[in-house]
Amino acid sequence: MAPVAPNWHIHRDADELAQALAEAIARIAAESIAQRGAFHLVLAGGHTPSSTYARLPQLGRRWQDWHLYYGDERYLPAGDPQRNDSMVTAQWTAKVPIPAGQHHRLTLAGTLEEAAAIYARALPSQDFDLVLLGLGEDGHCASLFPGGDWGMEADAPAVLPVFDAAKPPPKRISLSAWRLRRSRRIFFLVTGAGKAGAVARWRSGEHIPAAVVGAGAEVWLDPDAAHWSRPE
Ligand code: 6PG
């Protein structure tokens, strides 16, 4: 059975999407902090979210109540420019006073499996408030790739070691599908014509990682990624 369809939201262009998404994140943060005293946010990696993160320093408030996690991280030394947290730091967190102990970054360990287990211990016991995810051209999300282990079963680890990612670099850790789905909200951010094929596969009901993790999620698209919406 095909997973529950997501809700598709097509924005005027990538800039308008980034601004609207940054405003939505700030609004959800304020609601979460008002209701529960904290905001637990899982960050997407890759390039797409960079322009959204760059807008957050002007929009966010109560930074002392923000707790950041990564949907996935490349298994590279701290400070490596290919790490997702390097982009997040440069665009956003270096400019705001989120307590260092609440910005949960990957730490390298003896083995990739140990690093995944250590990261799992940093995750909150409760559901996340918001999970942000990108979409790969092959339909992957976080570092859950077609043909790999997505960690759907409830007894799967919360964080998976990934040894052979189809997208370089090959070694990563990734939150598993079931742990990513334990969130009040899930947003995908998808821009550019290069993602139109993966979006079409998702809309056709194909069993790709994004469709399984993103069942019932909100998908934020620009017109280039939302190919079906364009006049022929
Ligand atoms: C990563 C990401 C990955 C990314 C997609 C889209 O570590 O690369 O977590 O899942 O979100 O591949 O990447 P772009 O936004 O760069 O297209």
Side-chain angles (χ1 to χ4, degrees):
M1 185 181 79
V4 171
N7 301 295
W8 308 97
H9 305 284
I10 305 170
H11 291 263
R12 187 181 64 245
D13 55 37
D15 275 350
E16 190 271 327
L17 186 157
Q19 181 62 29
L21 179 55
E23 290 169 0
I25 293 167
R27 185 172 61 250
I28 294 166
E31 288 168 5
S32 304
I33 292 166
Q35 290 165 15
R36 292 177 292 279
F39 177 48
H40 294 276
L41 171 64
V42 176
L43 300 177
H47 297 103
T48 304
S50 179
S51 52
T52 294
Y53 298 153
R55 286 169 162 86
L56 287 173
Q58 296 85 4
L59 293 169
R61 298 290 178 275
R62 299 290 303 264
W63 297 115
Q64 70 274 23
D65 297 325
W66 290 52
H67 299 254
L68 306 181
Y69 311 87
Y70 288 82
D72 67 333
E73 181 59 284
R74 293 89 178 275
Y75 194 68
L76 296 165
D80 187 298
Q82 283 192 80
R83 278 179 57 134
N84 289 324
D85 65 2
S86 296
M87 177 269 288
V88 169
T89 301
Q91 293 292 349
W92 167 22
T93 58
K95 304 168 186 172
V96 299
I98 295 175
Q102 294 171 203
H103 183 177
H104 301 280
R105 306 164 186 265
L106 162 74
T107 47
L108 299 191
T111 65
L112 186 55
E113 294 91 334
E114 287 166 352
I118 291 166
Y119 200 73
R121 292 199 286 274
L123 301 182
S125 55
Q126 70 270 46
D127 289 3
F128 297 121
D129 293 300
L130 175 60
V131 167
L132 300 175
L133 287 163
L135 175 65
E137 286 82 354
D138 61 359
H140 78 259
C141 63
S143 285
L144 306 177
F145 289 87
D149 171 19
W150 307 346
M152 278 300 292
E153 315 72 35
D155 62 350
V159 181
L160 302 170
V162 178
F163 296 90
D164 54 355
K167 173 181 180 181
K171 291 175 73 174
R172 296 147 171 261
I173 63 166
S174 180
L175 268 58
S176 57
W178 73 264
R179 189 58 185 91
L180 285 167
R181 287 191 54 73
R182 274 198 50 204
S183 181
R184 286 178 169 80
R185 292 179 175 90
I186 300 175
F187 288 174
F188 276 77
L189 36 155
V190 186
T191 61
K195 306 297 175 73
V199 169
R201 291 170 60 191
W202 189 345
R203 289 177 58 85
S204 72
E206 195 172 324
H207 193 73
I208 56 176
V212 170
V213 174
E218 307 299 321
V219 184
W220 300 58
L221 303 130
D222 73 349
D224 288 341
H227 202 53
W228 80 92
S229 68
R230 295 168 68 95
E232 290 307 322

